Amino acid sequence: MTIEWGWFPDHIDEMTRLTADHLSTALSAVFFGLLIALPLAVIAHRFRPLRGFVLGLSNILYTIPSIALFVLLLPVTGLTRTTAVVGITAYTLVVLVRNTVEGLDTVPAKAREASTAMGAKPLRTLFTVELPLALPVIMAGVRVATVMSISLVSVASAIGQGGLGQLFIDGFQRDFPTLVIAGVALTLLLALVADAVLVTVQWLATPWTHKRGA
Amino acid sequence: MIKFDEVHKRFPNGTTAVHDLSLEMPEGQITVLVGSSGCGKTTTLRMINRMVDPTSGTIRLAGKDILESDAADLRRGIGYVIQQSGLFPHRTVLDNVATVPLLLGWGRKKARSRAAELLETVGLAADAGKRYPHQLSGGQQQRVGVARALAADPPVLLMDEPFGAVDPVVRTQLQDELLRLQKDLAKTIVFVTHDIDEAVRLGDRIAVFRTGGHLVQCAEPAELLARPADDFVADFLGAERGLKLLSLSTLAGLPQGPAPEGGRWELALDSARKPLGWRDGDAAADSPLLPVRALRDGDSLLSAVNESIASPAGLVARVDADGVLTGVTARAEIHDHAGEAHISAGAAA
Ligand SMILES: Nc1ncnc2c1ncn2[C@@H]1O[C@H](COP(=O)(O)OP(=O)(O)O)[C@@H](O)[C@H]1O
Ligand SMILES: [Mg+2]
C-alpha cells in the first residue's frame, strides 16, 4: 500500500470542504442532543420515578444500529443532512442524558437548599446553581458525545452525508488507499482538536474546580 | 416579632417534628432554640421561612400570617445561615454575598459594592472576595455565610447551628462577632444549637426543646439556669448549671482593697502599674513570678471564681480598661458574691 503524497496539495479545497461538512454535522447533532437531553435529564432528576424510563429510552435508541436508523429516517427526511443529524442526535442522547442526570446528582443539597431559602425560584436555582455545579460532569458527557458524533458522521456516507467518510468510500471503491488514509487521519485529527477545544472551554467555564489553596 | 400559635408539624412519614408549639420570638432579640438532636429545632426554624409548611397552627411575622406571603418574597426578607454555611462552591465569595441583592434586582454593580462592604463588616479582608469558598478556612466560610444572610439587610435572621463545624476557639470568636454585630443591627434572630453553652452566651431568650417537638421552657438565660422548669431542663443544663449562671454576671459591683504588702505574696507591677505576676516571698529571690490573670470590671463572675482558685495568694487582681491595677478582691468575697448572685437570679425569676 503506497500513499501518493502528491494527492494532498492538489485537494486542499476538497479536504477543507469535507472537514467543514463533517464538523458541522457532528456539532449540530451535539447541539440538538443537548437541547433535548437537558430538559429530559432535569425532569428525570426531579421526578425520580421517571428516571428509569428516560434513561431506558435513551439506551434503547442507542442499541439501534446506526445504518438501520438512517434507513428508517430516509422516508421522512430523505438523503439530506437532516437525516444524518437526526440519527446522530439520537445517539448522543444516551451519554448526554445520563451525564446530566448524574451531574445534577452531584450538586450538594446544601447549595440547592440555600438558593431556595434565599428566595430563588426553582428555574433560577436550576440555571444559576444546579446546572453550573453539574457542568463538570455534563461537559464530560459533551466530550464523549462530540467524539462519538465525529466518528458516526462517517457512517452517514451510506446516505451520502458522510463528510470525511466520503473519502474512505471513494478510496475503497477506486482502490486508492491514499484517500482512505486521508479520511482516517483527518477524522482522527478533527476528534482530537474538538476534544482539546472542549477541555479548554470546560477549564475556562469552571474556574472554581481548579483554584487551590486555603 | 415572630409568633408561633399552636403550630404542629407532622411529616408524611408520620414523624411529629413539632408538637403544638406556641412561642414568641421578640423583635431585635436573639431567641435560641436548644435541645438534643432530632427534637424539632431545625423544623421549627424552617417553618419561619416556609422551607417547611406547618400541618396546623399559624406563624405570624410582624403580625402577618406568613402563609399569606409568596414564599420566595418572604424568603428574600429573611436571612438564612446554615451549618458549613451552604455557600455556593461555584461562585466567588463576593458573588455569594451578592446573591440576595441580585435576586432583588439591585444590579450587579450595586450588589457587589454592598457585598464588599459586608465582607468588611464580618471581619474579612477585601481580597477574600475574589476567592472561592473552598479556598477559605471553616471559620472564614461561616463569616461569609453571615455576610450573605445580611446582604439585603433583612429584619430577621435564621441561623441553624451556624458555628457547629468549627473548632472551639474559632467558635468563640464567631459568637463574639455575632454579639458585636447584633449590638448595632438589632435583628430578630432565631438561633438553633444543641450546645447549651452557646445558647447561654448568645441568647436573650432560650427555648429548650424535648424529643417529639415539645417546648419545655422558654426563659431568659439567668432565669433558666436559676429555675429550670423540671428535671429534664435541669439535666440538660448540666452539672455546672451554677457556674454557667456566673458567666452571666460581671465583677462590676465587687468591692476591692489595696494589693497586699509585706506578706508572703506580693503582686509584681511594671512601671505603668500593670500586674506582672505573684512574687513568692518564701522563694529564692531570682525564682520566676507565678502567673496572674488580671480581670476587668466587665469580665464574668465565672472567670473571677476561676482566677480566685488559680491565684496562689487567693486574691484576684483587678485592673482598669488600660490594664492598670486598681486593687484586689479576696477569694471569700468572690465566693460569697457568687452565691448571692445565684440566689438573686432565682428570686428575680
Ligand atoms: N423531611 C422530613 N421528613 C420526615 N421526617 C423528618 C423530616 N425532617 C425532619 N424529620 C424528623 O423530624 C424530627 C425533628 O427533626 P429536626 O427538626 O431536624 O430536629 P433537630 O434540628 O432538632 O435535630 C426528627 O425525628 C427528624 O428525623
Ligand atoms: Mg437540626
Side-chain angles (χ1 to χ4, degrees):
Chain A
M1 186 169 83
T2 51
I3 301 177
E4 291 178 24
W5 293 104
W7 180 88
F8 287 88
D10 294 344
H11 294 81
I12 297 229
D13 285 352
E14 188 186 354
M15 286 189 292
T16 312
R17 182 178 54 78
L18 290 175
T19 305
D21 281 355
H22 198 111
L23 189 63
S24 109
T25 305
L27 291 188
S28 306
V30 175
F31 174 77
F32 289 114
L34 269 174
L35 220 55
I36 298 167
L38 287 179
L40 271 184
V42 167
I43 291 167
H45 181 258
R46 199 138 296 184
F47 305 101
R48 286 262 151 184
L50 285 181
R51 175 181 285 228
F53 176 74
V54 169
L55 291 177
L57 197 70
S58 55
N59 278 344
I60 287 171
L61 280 177
Y62 193 61
T63 58
I64 305 175
S66 42
I67 297 266
L69 193 58
F70 292 136
V71 171
L72 280 173
L73 286 167
L74 275 182
V76 191
T77 44
L79 285 169
T80 61
R81 175 180 288 183
T82 310
T83 308
V85 171
V86 171
I88 299 167
T89 300
Y91 288 105
T92 63
L93 293 182
V94 72
V95 349
L96 293 177
V97 173
R98 182 170 296 276
N99 278 52
T100 308
V101 171
E102 283 173 3
L104 290 170
D105 283 344
T106 66
V107 176
K110 293 236 174 217
R112 192 180 285 123
E113 184 194 317
S115 181
T116 308
M118 284 189 292
K121 300 203 165 137
L123 267 187
R124 179 155 181 139
T125 299
L126 178 66
F127 283 107
T128 63
V129 175
E130 302 185 79
L131 287 175
L133 283 173
L135 202 57
V137 184
I138 297 177
M139 282 302 289
V142 171
R143 285 172 59 192
V144 174
T146 303
V147 171
M148 186 173 92
S149 298
I150 288 173
S151 90
L152 276 174
V153 173
S154 301
V155 179
S157 304
I159 54 163
Q161 294 295 333
L164 292 165
Q166 216 56 51
L167 289 175
F168 334 141
I169 301 270
D170 293 352
F172 281 123
Q173 282 173 353
R174 288 155 53 187
D175 197 15
F176 184 32
T178 303
L179 288 187
V180 178
I181 302 281
V184 171
L186 285 172
T187 310
L188 203 66
L189 190 69
L190 194 58
L192 287 174
V193 171
D195 197 48
V197 168
L198 287 174
V199 170
T200 312
V201 167
Q202 177 176 354
W203 197 85
L204 293 174
T206 58
W208 68 91
T209 58
H210 47 81
K211 293 267 161 65
R212 289 274 120 232
Chain B
M1 185 176 73
I2 304 165
K3 190 164 188 280
F4 279 66
D5 216 351
E6 292 183 11
V7 173
H8 203 82
K9 177 64 192 181
R10 206 178 131 95
F11 283 108
N13 69 2
T15 311
T16 296
V18 176
H19 190 93
D20 281 344
L21 175 66
S22 295
L23 178 64
E24 288 181 10
M25 295 143 179
E27 190 140 344
Q29 294 201 0
I30 302 182
T31 303
V32 178
L33 312 182
V34 70
S36 46
S37 171
C39 65
K41 308 178 296 288
T42 295
T43 306
T44 302
L45 191 80
R46 286 160 62 92
M47 285 195 287
I48 299 171
N49 64 355
R50 294 195 56 192
M51 295 294 284
V52 175
D53 278 335
T55 313
S56 64
T58 50
I59 301 169
R60 290 173 199 282
L61 178 60
K64 189 176 169 204
D65 187 340
I66 58 168
L67 292 181
E68 285 168 14
S69 324
D70 172 67
D73 284 341
L74 176 82
R75 290 171 188 150
R76 287 171 201 178
I78 298 179
Y80 188 60
V81 189
I82 49 181
Q83 198 180 70
Q84 273 137 7
S85 70
L87 296 178
F88 301 122
H90 63 300
R91 288 195 198 145
T92 61
V93 163
L94 199 67
D95 286 341
N96 261 284
V97 177
T99 304
V100 179
L102 282 174
L103 271 169
L104 290 169
W106 287 22
R108 197 159 286 276
K109 207 172 152 201
K110 191 173 163 213
R112 284 203 170 141
S113 79
R114 167 71 177 156
E117 196 182 299
L118 273 161
L119 288 182
E120 202 186 312
T121 309
V122 299
L124 285 170
D127 72 344
K130 293 189 290 261
R131 296 172 162 247
Y132 287 93
H134 75 267
Q135 297 179 285
L136 303 183
S137 71
Q140 289 171 322
Q141 289 183 22
Q142 287 311 139
R143 285 170 195 266
V144 178
V146 172
R148 186 175 65 174
L150 290 172
D153 204 18
V156 176
L157 218 51
L158 308 180
M159 310 182 81
D160 194 350
E161 310 212 16
F163 310 144
V166 293
D167 66 69
V169 175
V170 176
R171 188 180 313 150
T172 307
Q173 279 172 10
L174 290 169
Q175 290 165 348
D176 286 343
E177 294 267 328
L178 180 65
L179 290 172
R180 180 181 62 77
L181 282 175
Q182 172 67 353
K183 245 190 205 142
D184 297 338
L185 299 176
K187 303 284 182 197
T188 304
I189 299 180
V190 186
F191 191 106
V192 165
T193 180
H194 59 261
D195 174 2
I196 184 64
D197 291 315
E198 185 167 64
V200 171
R201 257 176 87 78
L202 296 178
D204 295 307
R205 294 177 69 77
I206 300 176
V208 183
F209 282 71
R210 183 158 52 85
T211 312
H214 299 269
L215 173 67
V216 197
Q217 186 175 8
C218 180
E220 287 173 12
E223 183 188 335
L224 188 76
L225 288 163
R227 298 198 152 185
D230 60 15
D231 288 348
F232 174 83
V233 178
D235 280 350
F236 189 76
L237 295 172
E240 290 126 31
R241 181 158 66 82
L243 293 178
K244 286 186 181 110
L245 185 58
L246 295 181
S247 71
L248 295 173
S249 33
T250 66
L251 274 85
L254 250 95
Q256 44 189 318
E261 273 176 66
R264 176 175 173 192
W265 297 100
E266 263 187 55
L267 194 56
L269 302 174
D270 69 6
S271 57
R273 294 191 54 77
K274 293 184 185 175
L276 292 171
W278 291 102
R279 181 176 292 122
D280 184 355
D282 290 359
D286 60 348
S287 44
L289 298 174
L290 287 161
V292 63
R293 202 176 140 240
L295 299 178
R296 297 179 162 84
D297 278 359
D299 285 322
S300 74
L301 215 43
L302 180 59
S303 58
V305 169
N306 186 48
E307 178 63 13
S308 75
I309 295 165
S311 160
L315 297 169
V316 172
R318 312 266 302 263
V319 293
D320 63 15
D322 300 323
V324 176
L325 186 75
T326 54
V328 299
T329 304
R331 184 184 286 159
E333 184 126 34
I334 289 171
H335 289 201
D336 281 353
H337 191 82
E340 279 160 24
H342 203 129
I343 292 163
S344 65

